[in-house]
Every structure is written in structure tokens, then in C-alpha cells.
Amino acid sequence: MSAVTAEKNEQSHDDHHEHYEPFWKKYIFSTDHKTIGIQYGFTSLVFLAFGFFLMMVMRWSIAYPDRAVPLLADWPWFQAWLDDGGKVTGDLYNMFGAMHGTIMVFLGIVPLAFGAFGNYVTPLQIGAPDMAFPRLNMASYWLYLLGGVLMFVSFFLPSGAAKAGWTNYSPLATTTDIHYGNLFWTGQTQWLMGMVLLISSSLLGAVNFICTIINLRCRGMTWMRMPFFVWAMLVTGFLLLLAFPPLEVAALMQLMDRMAGTSFFVPTGLNVSGMSFDAAGGGSPLLYQHLFWFLAHPEVYVLILPALAIVSEVIPCNTRKPLWGYKTMVYAVMVLGFLAFIVWAHHMYITGMGPAISTFFQTTTVLISVPSVILITSLLISMWGGSIRFTVPMLFATAFIPMFGIGGLTGLPLAFSLADLHLHDTYYVIGHFHYVVAPGTIFGLFAGIYHWYPKITGRMMSTRLGHLHFWPSLIFMNGIFAPMFFQGMAGFHRRAFDGGKAYEQISTQVFSEPNSFLSNICEILHVIEPDAPLRMIDLNIITSGSAWLLAVFQVPFIINLFISAFKGRKVESDNPWDATTLEWATPTPPPHGNFASEPVAYRGPYEYSVPGADSDFSPQFESDPSSLAPAEEQTAKDEATAS
Amino acid sequence: MSEEIHDWGKHKKTYMMVGIALFFFTGLTITLALFPPFDVGAPGPTPGDYVLGLMVATIKASLVALIFMHLNHERGLIYKMLIFTVLFCVALMALTLFAGFDPILEQYETLQTTDGYLMEKK
Amino acid sequence: MEIPYEVTPRRDTGLYNSKLAVWLFLASEVMLFGGLFSGYVFLRLGIQDGVDNPWPWGLNVHKGYVWLGFINTLVLIGSSVAVVFAWVALKERNWRRFQVLMYGVVACAVAFMCIKSVEYHSKLTQHHGIKLLDNSVMEGKIVDGTDKIRFEADKVSFSLQGALPIFLREMAEDEFPELTLEGEDAEIFTSKGEFSKWFYRSRRETASALATERKRYRSELAEGIKNPSPVSVSTSATVTASKPFKVNGNPRTVIAHSDSAMNYRDGSKVEGSLTSDDVVFEIHEVDMQLVMPTKQRDSIIWEVIGDENAKKEFFTKQAKYYETMRAYYAPRGETIPEKMLRGHKLNLHYVHVGGDHGHDDDHSGESHDDKEHHGEEVHTSESKPSASKLEKDTGHHGTITVPRDKIKFMGNHGPRYGNYYAIYFTMTALHGLHVIGGALVLLYFVVFGKKMFLKNPEHLANRVEVGGLFWHFVDLIWIFLFPIMYLL
Ligand code: HEM
Ligand SMILES: [Cu+2]
């Protein structure tokens, strides 16, 4: 097939050069969803790298609380936050911790997953010329950038950036830096301003996505012919749309608390540093937590669904098999989206909720693992019996499954309030959600980058560098996060800037058993630090070492990303992976307006190895003579069953 | 579409009626609140008063939503969307409230009053 | 490139893009205001009797202003009706009628905001309250500026790290004294600008001096020196004034003060002499809801007011109130619930101090308060705090001096004053922003819509429908805000 379409597209390339746009309009203030997607992509990768940098400093302080920070101690801004000996102070750790979380979640993963991939791929996959509201789309990006810049600039204020954790719990967050003369120009307040911008950006984006998916599907693109990626985007859009406003409320209220002196979240009789806090009181810190987690739980699905969806595009394409249980997955993702709204208080078991309500939340939390397991199992089964091509995206997609699995399964103990009493706020929790978002989501996103790169640039990324990126990343990701489970179960508290020196005594006992599984593992330590006494606390060294090495092995990726755009192997056709979905029907790279001729979806999204077909894939955009009903009739029928 | 040949006169009449109804209900709200004969339960604001006041507001709101915002003409899609929205909104309010309530500890709870006076909650 | 379904609805969904979008947007708005309403309910129901501030009764707060809220409701409903008819006018292709109606809508929005600002203004500038140490509350008006700690400073010390010292903001704008820097290089500043320029410069210098010192310290440590001499850089400075200058310390920024010094929350310290820290208060009402009934007679508030008549009047009124309660409960064979005696249900423990004892609570609208207290004498520190006496004046209310050390909390009826006020201001302000936004959009349609009307009237009608949907939603929110904020 591809020879024909490729030729056709080749011609249509030329008709699309009619209107030239000035540079700034084409690349900077662009309304083209693809350009905006790329803008989102680059910005968020920069923020991811920045969040990563913050984390590396934190990891130093955890592993070597007694040593001066290397390399950076002489940097003027930085040294002001260190103590005289050049060690990380609690303030700096809190600041970096809070901003690492915030940046990774709101400025890194969500914009990359939803903003970049969603923007670039969704309209292509449903055969739309652009998003429903291109200018709104541009506005979301610029709001996002503004919010990000505000967050970044807040580091350089006299008060530094926000320090109260990414959760920004009141009354801590309300009273942090309260001694500054002008509260507006403190990091804590700027965090709130930044959040208001980011939330507005996400809301605009969500409206746009949902509209596009509902109203701009091309001819023949019925609900059940939408690729799973589009479904995931739809659900993600709704999660953002309905979950973010309560956080906006919380941010506004906290802003009022800080700036106007209200006491929404300030309880009566609050004392701060031994002085009674000057506010009317009567507020409720718990209200903040409810509003925050009402967003933040759905937010974790916003973090994971796009990655999962990317993986479910990559897997069928590389196993040359249909996605197993496509319909089940669609329903599962909808159920998951629904349940995501009524589980939030599982983050709040230890706030003294009544047993009845906490039973409710335990039940819903356990329930939500059902659709999650359906999704991940379907992906696993999709690989069964396929003739797998282990391309680089496929490697990442394959690794995603067990990593996400570990993250998910270790979440189950946290769902039960009894177990959570012990595990809450320990490194176990850190390990759990990082397995989901770091080796999980980030691997999914890497898979997406390697997968769609040829469509975006017309060149393939280097496989060799890809391998050099993948294998060390896999190893070191686990090196970072696996030890956290053990430490957490031993009671290591999170957010301890000295890495839990206070736990030294407990940890000696745990490792005193010779030849236990753990102590054997910890022999690795002797490779790194020959004198290390092998205590639980010394696992920090493995974790931190892995984190820095992980950073080193992102270098091949960065090189690959830039060099391949110029030096990579040119794609031979518009569909280099022999994939089936509509984005591969466009010219490469797709022009403004996307499709050369009006796209039509003739069949389901994952028709690989259809018995009797000429090739092992039957793209959606290829008409199927044997199909019983023409596209329109099928549309009508599907709609009838859907409603 | 059929909109073009619509009889707008009929619609206008409906809109007028609804407008008048809204003004009427606004008057009703304030009458209920201001005049003692309509004070439900004990003097001063009581749950009865709240329910009454909110009921009138809800009627007004539904009129606006159904007629002015043409929800009565809309297709299923918007309804589905709004039903979930309202559901989540109610969940947010109800579960948040419910989480503050502990049926087991409730009976033992004591309140520290500002004078350092401990009150046993009944 | 054309985006499909911009004007005509898509067949299977029955919607054109912008209508779908606005409904989605409204869904998120429902969640936004839903979150705020949840907050309202949660905070209101979460009040612990006798601990937190009671939730005031809307009618009581607004008194004379309920009617403004009422008028505002009518205005918004009227505008909603007008929007629908404007849309119908477009559907009937009648530009003139559309224009008139739409300008009417915008005029309504303007009227709404004006009325709103009258309310805001009164709350923010005309009404204050003071909560004393035992939680008894006085309502009234703080005489201009007396909530500030008035101070004559001649010396200030502050840190050279962090932000500009607070005192700078609190000194009178016009009289900047000559400030001389203490130390070797005695610089002299004659204006705020000069001072802040110097401040930023020396903040940089301090930082780099600190950096060098620390570098030395670290390298000595690295070289294995056991106890290197510790890092010592002076990070603070002191300036003295050529003549004493006035500083009005905001009680929110001053964390402690004495007769000779004032400490700010940013660590800076002003030395000199205290002019006065008395709060002069024009008392209108006394509110005892937070005081146990048994302790109300011995409350320090009576000492502060120093008027036996007021006390007597208060308890007479209270007795009268209990009487009405008994009249309700006794026939039912119940006793008055404890909550009703002092919980958040009880908002009637107000009393008028000073003349005019026959004055009736229910008619003391806020509007009437505004007018009556002009030209009142400002009392300064002549009277000693402890000996404060109620001063009779020509109006209904007395002016008293409240010793600052008896005050737990004070402020205007702004958002700070309590959760009712906080949520009232937050929600109405947010709603006001929506009104402004909506009005601007509608104004845009009528001012710039003519061209589109001629070219594609259906498109304009669609836009107006969508804008109208938003407008109705704004109306809908107000329909709930009015009863919960003003009436219940
Ligand atoms: C891949 C590398 C990553 C590493 C090595 C890493 C490491 C860390 C560390 C050491 C902490 C602080 C733990 C503590 O002291 O309590 C932390 C916190 C956190 N991280 Fe990461 N992280 C990574 C990626 C991510 C990503 C991709 C996300 C995105 C969602 C993320 C979200 C968070 C959050 C939300 C917190 C909690 C912050 C807080 O305590 O308020 N991290 N991470
Ligand atoms: Cu959760």
C-alpha cells in the first residue's frame, strides 16, 4: 500500500506550501496544534530536567548529610542557602523538595503527556485539521509558560521558592515566610499565583481537547474506532476539567489567607513560633486537604493515563497484533475516570476520619484497582504470542508494564487505613508513587518520543543511542526506587533532609542478620563505599548513586533527540512503523491543516495481522472492499448503539 | 434547519413567563426571610429556614437552567456531562462533610471552650 | 484550513463547537463554585460552639443592605431575560432590537457592580470590630488610624538579607528624615529611593562577603584544619535619624512593642518613643456569643466600656430575647437548648452604648450608621488606658479608648474578620469578576457584531447564545449567593 499513498502524499506536499507565515507566527505564536505540541514538549522537557537537578541536590543531602555539596557550593545564589560548611540546610531541602514535586507534576509530566503528546497526536489520530479552538490552544501554552516562569523566578526571591511540600498543606503553607514584609513577593505566594495560571491553562486545554474529540472526528471515525490513545485523552480531559477547579478554589483561598488575612484554613488559636497567629481563626486545615486531594488523586491518573495510552499504541504496532480487549480497555478507562473522583481521602486516613467514611474510601480505592489491573493485563496479553519487534519504543513500552505494575501493587497496602498508619509519609510512599510516575510514566513518554519522532521530523532516532539510553535507565531507575520500599517499611520518614540520621539505630538492627536477602543486596554498597557499615540508612548511598548515574545516562537521549533531527536516517515512507492509525496517513512532517485529502476511517484502530489480508497491517485509512457496510452506515449504527 | 421557520412568538411568551416567575420567586425569598410569620421553627435562623430558602433558590435556578439555557431542548450528550459534574460536585460536598464526622468518637468528644471549660458533647 | 462545525451543529452530537465548549467550561465552573459552596458549608457546619467565631446571620450583617442585595438580584434576573430576548432578536434578524437589549444587559452589569461596590465600601471602611481577651466582641468603628501603633522613631536596625525593612512602608510619605548609617562609612540618605538603592547594593555586598568567608571556611575545613575560625560577616545595619520621625506600626507587622521600641516581624527594630498605642473606638454594639453565660457579667468588656447603663441595657435585652425563646420552647415542653443561648444561632446580643436607649436593633441599618458619626472627636493618649471612660457625644454612640493589651483581634468587616466575611468577599468578588468578564464579551458582540451580522447572522446568533449561556450561569450562581450570604 504505502507506495501508493506515499506517492499521493508526495504530490500533495506541494499544494500545501501556498501560504507562508512569518517566522514568529509559525514557530512562536503559532496556532497549529503540532507546533504547540512541540513547544509544550520542549518546555516540559526543560522543566523535567530542572526538577531532576533539584532532586540530585536533595539526594546529596540525604546520602551525605555531613559533607559539603560538591561543585555547586561556590555558586553565589546557591551558597546563600547552604550552611557555613557548604552543607544543604533544611530550608533548601524543603524548597527543592516542594519544587521538585510541583515542577515534575505540574510543569513536567502533565504538559509533556497531555500538552505535548495530546496536542500533537490527538487531532491527527481522529483525522481533524487542528484542534477545535486553535487560538485557545495557543493561550493554554502561554499561560502554562507564564506559570512556569513565575515558579522558576520565585527561586530568586529573597524568600526563595515555596517550601511547604508540593501538597502545600495549610496552615504550614499559610504561615511559611510570614515574617517577610511583602508577602506577595514570597515564593509561597508565587507558588499559588503560578498554580492559578497553570490551572487556568489546563482548564482551557481540557475544554479544547474534549471539544476536538467529540466534534472533530473525521468521517467514519466512530467512538469505537477511536484509538485507545484518544480515549485516554478524552478521559484525562474530563479529569482535568472537573478536578482542577476545586484546587483552584483551594489556591484562591490560600492566597486570601496569605494576602488578605482570612482564615479559611487557619484554625482558632493557632500559634506560630510561640506567638499567637494574628487571624480570626475558625478555619479548617482539613478543608484544604480535601480540596487539594480532590484534584490530586485524579491528577495521578492524569499523570499515568497518557503514558499508558502511548504504550497501548506502541505495543500493538510492534507486536503486529491487535490490542487485546480494546473495548474492555475503553470501558475500564471510563470506570477508572469515574472512580478517580471518589477515592481522594485515602491520602487522609491519618487525619482522624471516622471509620465509616474511611471504609468507604478504602472500598472505592480497592475498587479502582480493578480497572487499572484490566488495563495493564490487557497490555500484557496483547504481547502474548506476537512476533515482537524490539524497537527502542517497544523496549520502553515493555519496561513500562512491570514498572507500572510494581508501582500499582505496592499501592494496595496504602489503600488500607490500617497498613497506611504505618506506611504513611514514609519512603515506602515515595517509592510507590515514583515507580508509577518515574519508570512508569516517564518510560511511557520516552516510548512515545521514540515512536512519533519519525512523524515529527521525518527522521528516525538512533537505535544504538536508544539502547544506551534504555538499559542503564532501567537499571538505575530500580536502583533508586527499590531501596525506598525497604527503608520505608523500616520506618524511614520522608522529607527528612538529613536522610534519616535519626534512624541510624533502628537500621543497624535490620541489617545485623547475616546473609539475609537485604544484606546480600547491600553488598553492592561495598563496591561503592568499601567502608560502609551496611545499615539501612546506607541504602541512601545506592539510591543517590543511582540517581546521579541515571542523570548521566540521559545524555545519550538528549544527544539523540537533537542530532537525529539532522543526522538521523530518513524515513522511507509516511508510515515507517507500518502502523494502522490515522496519524500515519499524513505527509511527513504533517503540514498546517494536517491531511492531504479528507481522511476517512474505514475500520477499527488496531487491525494488525487480519486473517486474509495482504499485509500484516490494515490501516484505518485504507478502504476495505470486503467491509460489509460503508463508513457512514457504520457511523449511524455505532451511534445508535452508543446512545 | 427548522429553527428558521420557528414560531418565535411562542418562545418569547415562555421567556416572559419565566422572567416574571423569577421576579416573583425573588420577592418570595425575601418575604420568607424578613417577615416573622414565615420564620420556621425557633426564632432566628434554623434548619427549616435554610431548607425553605434554598428550595426557592433551587426552583429559580432550575428555571434558568432549563428554559433560559435551553437545557430542555438539549440532547443527551450535555446531560450526561452535567449529570457527572453534579454528581462529583455533590460527592465533594457530601464526602468532605461526612469525613469530618466520626460516629464512634463523636460520643466521647469533648470541647475545649475558650475559658478552659470542658464541655461534654451530648 | 477550515475547522468544521464552527457554525452549523454536527449531525450526530447536535452541537456546534463553541456551544459544546461553553457547556464544558460551565461544567468546570460548576466545580469551581461547587468547591466554594462546599467550603461554605464545611466551614459553617464545622464551627465549634464557643470556640470559633460564630457564623453571623446574613440578615444581621446586612441589615439595611439586604435591599441592595435584593435589587441586585432583580437587576441580574432582568439582564438574563434581556439576553434571551436579544438572542431571539438575532434569530429574527432584528439588529436594532438586539442592540438595545444588549446595551441594556451591559447597563445592568454596570449597575450591579456599582451597587456591589457600595456594599464593599461600607464593610471595609465603616465597620470594625474588636475582640477582647476573653472573646467578648465590640462592634463599631475604629477612629481613623488609631489601630496603628503611633511611634516616633530615631533609630532603626535591620537585616541586610531578605527584603526591604518594613518600617519604610509605614513611615509618613512626606517627611523623610535624614538617615545616617552607623559605622565607618557613615552614609546619609535623604529619600526612600536613595535608601532602597543603598539597601539593595549592600545586600549584594553582604551576600558576596558571606560567600567569600564561607569559601575560606570550607577550604580550611578541607585542608584538615580542626577548628577554623567561624564565618563572621555582619549582616545587619543600623541607621539613626537626624530628627525623630513618625512611624505608624501596623499591628499585623509589629510583633512586639514597648515604650521605647517596636519590633517588626521581619526582624527589624525601631527605637524611639511611643506616641500612643490606644485604640479609639466608637462603640455600637456588644456581642457576647463567645463568652460562657455564667461569665458574661464579669467580662472585661464592661471594664473597658466603663458604663453601667450599657451593661444594664445589654442584660435587659438579653432577658427579653430569652423571653421570646421561652415563648417558643415552653409550650412545646422543651427547655431552651444551650446552643440557642450562646452558640452560633444567637446573634442578638447586641447593645447600644451611650445615649438613645430606646433605639431598636432592627432598624439600625448599616447605611444609617455611616452618616451619623462624622466629625467626632479623636481621642488620643490623654486618658490612660485603664481609666478609659465612656464619652458621651451628640450621636447615639459613645467613643471609648481600648487598651491594646486587652485586644485579641481587631479589624474592619473585611475578609479578615471571620469566615463568613472571608467567604462572602471571596465568592462575591469572584462572581463579580465573572460579571465583568461576561459583560465585556457581550459588549464586544454588540459593538463589533454588525459586520458579522450582515455576513453570517447565524454565526453571531450562535455567539450570543454561547455568551448568553455564560451570562445565565452567572445569574444562576447569584441566585444561590443571595440567600446564603444575605438572608440565612
Ligand atoms: C526519576 C527520577 C526521580 C527521582 C530520583 C526522584 C526523587 C525524589 C526524591 C528524593 C524526593 C524527596 C523525598 C522526600 O524527601 O520526601 C521526591 C519527592 C517527590 N517527587 Fe520525585 N523523583 C523523580 C521523579 C519524579 C517524577 C517524574 C515525579 C512526577 C510526578 C516526581 C514527583 C515527586 C513528588 C510529588 C514528590 C513529593 C514532594 C514533596 O515531598 O512534597 N518525582 N522525588
Ligand atoms: Cu490517591
Side-chain angles (χ1 to χ4, degrees):
Chain A
M1 82 92 213
S2 33
V4 187
T5 25
E7 201 175 296
K8 213 169 70 204
N9 292 340
E10 210 53 56
Q11 295 166 354
S12 52
H13 265 292
D14 311 29
D15 341 320
H16 268 273
H17 289 302
E18 316 122 0
H19 60 288
Y20 280 99
E21 288 164 309
F23 172 82
W24 60 271
K25 207 161 170 194
K26 193 161 172 195
Y27 293 108
I28 300 177
F29 293 103
S30 170
T31 53
D32 185 350
H33 72 100
K34 298 178 293 297
T35 315
I36 295 175
I38 293 169
Q39 287 175 329
Y40 260 119
F42 268 104
T43 320
S44 55
L45 280 175
V46 169
F47 276 117
L48 275 179
F50 182 54
F52 203 101
F53 159 76
L54 300 180
M55 177 278 293
M56 288 196 287
V57 176
M58 289 154 69
R59 283 307 327 178
W60 178 270
S61 158
I62 293 172
Y64 303 115
D66 306 325
R67 297 190 206 167
V69 183
L71 310 175
L72 296 167
D74 289 338
W75 179 30
W77 178 83
F78 199 72
Q79 66 83 26
W81 289 97
L82 301 176
D83 75 357
D84 290 346
K87 287 176 284 197
V88 172
T89 55
D91 261 356
L92 184 71
Y93 186 88
N94 288 345
M95 182 159 97
F96 277 18
M99 293 312 278
H100 162 76
T102 309
I103 287 175
M104 285 294 192
V105 173
F106 296 109
L107 293 168
I109 303 281
V110 174
L112 183 56
F114 189 69
F117 283 107
N119 247 312
Y120 199 96
V121 179
T122 312
L124 293 180
Q125 281 197 335
I126 59 172
D130 202 317
M131 297 289 268
F133 304 99
R135 267 179 296 176
L136 203 64
N137 201 10
M138 181 177 80
S140 336
Y141 171 74
W142 287 101
L143 277 180
Y144 154 66
L145 188 65
L146 199 64
V149 168
L150 217 55
M151 293 256 183
F152 180 74
V153 168
S154 72
F155 276 94
F156 302 98
L157 295 172
S159 65
K163 301 187 193 71
W166 84 289
T167 47
N168 229 39
Y169 277 179
S170 270
L172 177 64
T174 313
T175 56
T176 302
D177 290 339
I178 203 81
H179 57 278
Y180 278 85
N182 188 346
L183 285 185
F184 185 74
W185 290 112
T186 52
Q188 209 62 46
T189 312
Q190 289 310 309
W191 189 92
L192 295 168
M193 297 300 290
M195 280 315 283
V196 170
L197 289 175
L198 292 177
I199 293 170
S200 311
S201 149
S202 287
L203 287 179
L204 295 185
V207 168
N208 211 344
F209 271 84
I210 300 173
C211 262
T212 308
I213 295 172
I214 290 182
N215 244 20
L216 257 53
R217 282 165 293 131
C218 67
R219 222 145 50 87
M221 180 58 76
T222 59
W223 290 111
M224 281 303 157
R225 282 186 188 167
M226 289 194 326
F228 183 71
F229 182 85
V230 179
W231 274 111
M233 283 298 148
L234 187 63
V235 173
T236 311
F238 272 109
L239 290 179
L240 287 176
L241 186 76
L242 301 182
F244 251 136
L247 183 69
E248 187 140 20
V249 169
L252 284 176
M253 283 178 162
Q254 209 176 68
L255 202 61
M256 290 289 282
D257 276 3
R258 281 183 75 80
M259 297 308 300
T262 59
S263 28
F264 285 119
F265 307 133
V266 180
T268 304
L270 179 70
N271 271 30
V272 180
S273 351
M275 299 213 344
S276 124
F277 187 66
D278 181 29
S284 165
L286 277 188
L287 178 61
Y288 178 83
Q289 296 194 16
H290 281 295
L291 293 175
F292 178 83
W293 286 112
F294 188 83
L295 160 90
H297 187 85
E299 180 78 10
V300 306
Y301 292 100
V302 174
L303 296 175
I304 194 67
L305 281 182
L308 197 119
I310 291 170
V311 169
S312 57
E313 296 297 301
V314 173
I315 284 185
C317 173
N318 284 294
T319 51
R320 317 309 293 161
K321 265 187 68 200
L323 191 61
W324 192 88
Y326 164 76
K327 272 201 178 155
T328 324
M329 286 181 73
V330 169
Y331 292 127
V333 84
M334 285 200 256
V335 172
L336 190 124
F338 176 79
L339 286 176
F341 283 99
I342 47 171
V343 298
W344 78 85
H346 61 210
H347 297 273
M348 297 166 58
Y349 287 139
I350 63 161
T351 58
M353 270 191 304
I357 189 75
S358 100
T359 308
F360 172 83
F361 281 113
Q362 287 177 59
T363 314
T364 51
T365 307
V366 177
L367 270 183
I368 205 170
S369 65
V370 175
S372 318
V373 169
I374 290 178
L375 290 175
I376 204 80
T377 316
S378 300
L379 289 180
L380 196 61
I381 301 178
S382 298
M383 303 214 295
W384 189 265
S387 54
I388 304 180
R389 304 184 304 210
F390 276 112
T391 57
V392 178
M394 185 59 186
L395 286 177
F396 277 104
T398 316
F400 169 88
I401 294 176
M403 294 295 108
F404 178 64
I406 294 176
L409 290 177
T410 51
L412 281 180
L414 298 173
F416 299 100
S417 61
L418 204 57
D420 188 56
L421 286 184
H422 176 59
L423 295 172
H424 185 92
D425 258 352
T426 63
Y427 264 94
Y428 182 89
V429 177
I430 302 281
H432 148 67
F433 74 72
H434 277 88
Y435 256 103
V436 177
V437 291
T441 297
I442 291 196
F443 275 13
L445 296 176
F446 277 139
I449 293 177
Y450 283 98
H451 184 65
W452 279 301
Y453 193 84
K455 176 60 37 191
I456 298 169
T457 61
R459 291 173 189 268
M460 309 292 278
M461 282 176 94
S462 151
T463 308
R464 196 167 304 156
L465 284 175
H467 277 263
L468 191 60
H469 175 209
F470 171 72
W471 293 105
S473 292
L474 182 63
I475 294 168
F476 294 128
M477 280 283 190
N478 286 285
I480 298 171
F481 297 116
M484 291 186 182
F485 290 129
F486 302 115
Q487 291 186 321
M489 283 186 281
F492 271 58
H493 211 274
R494 69 192 277 205
R495 293 176 177 161
F497 84 102
D498 58 3
K501 270 203 308 194
Y503 293 89
E504 267 170 322
Q505 295 317 312
I506 318 171
S507 54
T508 324
Q509 289 165 15
V510 175
F511 278 97
S512 58
E513 286 172 48
N515 277 333
S516 69
F517 172 65
L518 273 182
S519 59
N520 283 340
I521 289 188
C522 287
E523 288 299 329
I524 301 174
L525 258 183
H526 282 172
V527 182
I528 308 171
E529 295 259 310
D531 313 325
L534 292 196
R535 297 160 310 167
M536 191 61 103
I537 194 171
D538 297 307
L539 285 180
N540 281 337
I541 298 171
I542 295 189
T543 301
S544 295
S546 306
W548 302 319
L549 286 171
L550 182 63
V552 171
F553 283 99
Q554 301 315 299
V555 175
F557 169 71
I558 296 170
I559 295 175
N560 206 348
L561 192 67
F562 286 102
I563 301 292
S564 302
F566 308 102
K567 295 272 164 65
R569 182 163 55 81
K570 269 216 165 97
V571 290
E572 279 107 43
S573 78
D574 287 332
N575 190 358
W577 304 113
D578 290 341
T580 52
T581 40
L582 274 183
E583 76 268 32
W584 303 104
T586 57
T588 309
H592 198 52
N594 295 343
F595 291 88
S597 55
E598 198 205 334
V600 181
Y602 293 99
R603 56 176 93 231
Y606 302 112
E607 307 218 341
Y608 289 100
S609 308
V610 181
D614 321 338
S615 64
D616 69 347
F617 69 113
S618 320
Q620 282 189 293
F621 44 88
E622 243 167 49
S623 72
D624 177 6
S626 68
S627 157
L628 298 172
E632 284 82 357
E633 268 177 48
Q634 185 62 37
T635 318
K637 220 176 78 197
D638 273 19
E639 237 86 74
T641 47
S643 58
Chain B
M1 270 182 66
S2 61
E3 300 260 31
E4 305 299 333
I5 24 172
H6 241 68
D7 175 17
W8 285 103
K10 211 177 94 206
H11 281 257
K12 279 198 258 187
K13 216 186 245 155
T14 324
Y15 294 146
M16 213 59 211
M17 298 288 285
V18 172
I20 292 170
L22 287 176
F23 284 122
F24 167 73
F25 279 120
T26 312
L28 186 64
T29 322
I30 200 148
T31 316
L32 290 180
L34 283 187
F35 297 99
F38 301 103
D39 197 357
V40 184
T46 51
D49 297 321
Y50 302 152
V51 171
L52 206 61
L54 289 178
M55 234 153 60
V56 178
T58 312
I59 296 174
K60 282 164 71 183
S62 347
L63 279 179
V64 173
L66 287 178
I67 314 289
F68 282 178
M69 299 171 87
H70 322 304
L71 263 185
N72 54 346
H73 292 318
E74 286 307 344
R75 295 240 218 131
L77 192 71
I78 285 180
Y79 271 100
K80 276 182 214 158
M81 223 164 67
L82 288 182
I83 283 173
F84 281 114
T85 310
V86 171
L87 210 67
F88 293 143
C89 207
V90 171
L92 173 62
M93 194 177 292
L95 293 178
T96 302
L97 274 183
F98 196 39
F101 165 72
D102 187 331
I104 294 181
L105 287 184
E106 192 78 350
Q107 42 195 320
Y108 303 110
E109 208 171 278
T110 49
L111 288 180
Q112 174 93 46
T113 65
T114 34
D115 331 44
Y117 175 94
L118 279 181
M119 268 198 320
E120 194 86 22
K121 232 187 183 180
K122 311 265 151 48
Chain C
M1 181 196 63
E2 278 278 303
I3 308 277
Y5 311 116
E6 277 195 327
V7 184
T8 47
R10 182 181 164 114
R11 195 167 48 85
D12 56 348
T13 58
L15 296 164
Y16 51 89
N17 294 345
S18 49
K19 188 157 168 186
L20 178 55
V22 87
W23 274 110
L24 288 167
F25 180 65
L26 290 187
S28 91
E29 290 278 33
V30 168
M31 293 307 291
L32 183 79
F33 282 97
L36 284 162
F37 281 119
S38 305
Y40 174 94
V41 176
F42 190 84
L43 290 173
R44 183 165 184 170
L45 296 187
I47 285 176
Q48 290 185 300
D49 288 332
V51 178
D52 298 331
N53 281 334
W55 196 273
W57 185 11
L59 271 180
N60 233 335
V61 175
H62 288 272
K63 288 178 201 152
Y65 282 170
V66 164
W67 294 105
L68 288 189
F70 177 65
I71 293 169
N72 253 350
T73 316
L74 298 183
V75 166
L76 267 197
I77 289 178
S79 72
S80 238
V81 177
V83 165
V84 184
F85 279 95
W87 173 67
V88 174
L90 274 188
K91 282 284 191 188
E92 295 179 336
R93 307 286 183 261
N94 186 336
W95 172 258
R96 189 77 207 130
R97 185 144 51 85
F98 164 74
Q99 222 179 1
V100 171
L101 284 167
M102 221 32 153
Y103 280 123
V105 173
V106 176
C108 283
V110 173
F112 181 88
M113 291 314 290
C114 289
I115 294 179
K116 189 96 263 159
S117 58
V118 171
E119 273 179 48
Y120 273 18
H121 180 77
S122 149
K123 286 211 171 48
L124 292 176
T125 60
Q126 304 300 325
H127 293 269
H128 298 88
I130 295 181
K131 192 192 220 176
L132 298 179
L133 287 181
D134 69 346
N135 288 333
S136 48
V137 175
M138 299 187 284
E139 298 281 341
K141 186 165 181 290
I142 297 175
V143 175
D144 287 337
T146 54
D147 57 331
K148 301 269 166 42
I149 301 162
R150 284 137 286 157
F151 200 84
E152 294 252 310
D154 49 29
K155 186 170 167 191
V156 191
S157 45
F158 50 89
S159 157
L160 283 175
Q161 291 169 313
L164 275 177
I166 297 178
F167 85 93
L168 220 52
R169 278 193 316 194
E170 298 190 337
M171 53 199 288
E173 191 61 54
D174 41 348
E175 42 157 346
F176 194 89
E178 247 178 42
L179 295 180
T180 316
L181 184 64
E182 278 189 1
E184 300 116 50
D185 41 18
E187 282 192 56
I188 295 175
F189 317 108
T190 53
S191 73
K192 276 185 192 177
E194 229 172 81
F195 178 83
S196 33
K197 221 157 88 199
W198 166 83
F199 178 84
Y200 291 129
R201 197 184 65 227
S202 36
R203 186 172 70 181
R204 260 199 319 278
E205 283 164 6
T206 312
S208 68
L210 199 63
T212 335
E213 262 294 283
R214 282 177 162 176
K215 198 165 176 179
R216 173 198 57 81
Y217 182 79
R218 282 200 308 275
S219 62
E220 283 179 17
L221 267 186
E223 281 161 20
I225 300 174
K226 259 275 164 49
N227 287 317
S229 59
V231 173
S232 79
V233 172
S234 120
T235 56
S236 58
T238 307
V239 291
T240 42
S242 54
K243 61 176 196 312
F245 61 99
K246 286 204 181 73
V247 182
N248 288 325
N250 183 338
R252 294 196 65 202
T253 56
V254 175
I255 54 175
H257 69 286
S258 67
D259 284 342
S260 61
M262 205 156 63
N263 288 60
Y264 281 104
R265 67 176 184 214
D266 67 350
S268 54
K269 182 175 170 191
V270 172
E271 284 167 82
S273 60
L274 184 69
T275 316
S276 163
D277 71 344
D278 293 334
V279 179
V280 183
F281 193 65
E282 205 179 274
I283 183 168
H284 301 174
E285 289 161 351
V286 170
D287 174 356
M288 291 287 229
Q289 293 170 76
L290 281 172
V291 186
M292 297 293 293
T294 47
K295 304 212 170 159
Q296 287 180 353
R297 284 185 186 273
D298 314 324
S299 164
I300 55 171
I301 198 166
W302 307 121
E303 204 181 298
V304 171
I305 295 175
D307 179 358
E308 271 309 311
N309 281 339
K311 185 171 177 182
K312 214 182 288 158
E313 188 202 345
F314 177 84
F315 287 107
T316 320
K317 276 199 174 167
Q318 193 186 49
K320 218 160 75 197
Y321 172 72
Y322 284 168
E323 208 50 55
T324 56
M325 296 300 279
R326 208 167 294 129
Y328 174 81
Y329 283 103
R332 289 175 171 69
E334 297 166 21
T335 51
I336 307 173
E338 162 100 22
K339 261 190 181 162
M340 285 296 195
L341 290 180
R342 56 179 296 280
H344 63 280
K345 299 284 188 319
L346 180 62
N347 274 285
L348 298 176
H349 279 184
Y350 290 109
V351 69
H352 282 93
V353 173
D356 193 17
H357 284 231
H359 197 71
D360 190 348
D361 256 356
D362 292 347
H363 299 292
S364 60
E366 300 195 59
S367 47
H368 121 139
D369 291 342
D370 300 344
K371 295 183 205 104
E372 290 178 13
H373 315 297
H374 290 305
E376 259 172 330
E377 195 186 334
V378 177
H379 297 258
T380 37
S381 58
E382 275 86 315
S383 54
K384 277 201 10 249
S386 54
S388 60
K389 272 268 166 304
L390 177 70
E391 322 238 347
K392 301 258 176 177
D393 60 29
T394 49
H396 298 293
H397 310 292
T399 308
I400 57 173
T401 308
V402 188
R404 201 176 284 270
D405 56 2
K406 295 254 161 54
I407 296 177
K408 194 171 189 177
F409 180 87
M410 66 176 159
N412 58 10
H413 283 194
R416 229 180 118 237
Y417 195 61
N419 276 333
Y420 166 79
Y421 294 91
I423 197 120
Y424 166 83
F425 275 100
T426 311
M427 287 193 81
T428 53
L430 203 61
H431 177 265
L433 285 181
H434 280 72
V435 171
I436 294 173
L440 285 180
V441 170
L442 295 178
L443 189 66
Y444 175 83
F445 291 157
V446 59
V447 173
F448 298 104
K450 187 72 191 244
K451 219 157 106 200
M452 182 178 272
F453 178 74
L454 296 176
K455 211 172 78 197
N456 188 351
E458 195 57 25
H459 196 174
L460 184 65
N462 281 350
R463 285 190 164 190
V464 170
E465 183 182 11
V466 163
L469 282 175
F470 180 74
W471 193 257
H472 296 313
F473 178 78
V474 172
D475 181 23
L476 203 148
I477 292 296
W478 183 259
I479 284 177
F480 282 105
L481 278 182
F482 175 59
I484 69 168
M485 293 298 177
Y486 290 74
L487 303 178
L488 300 180

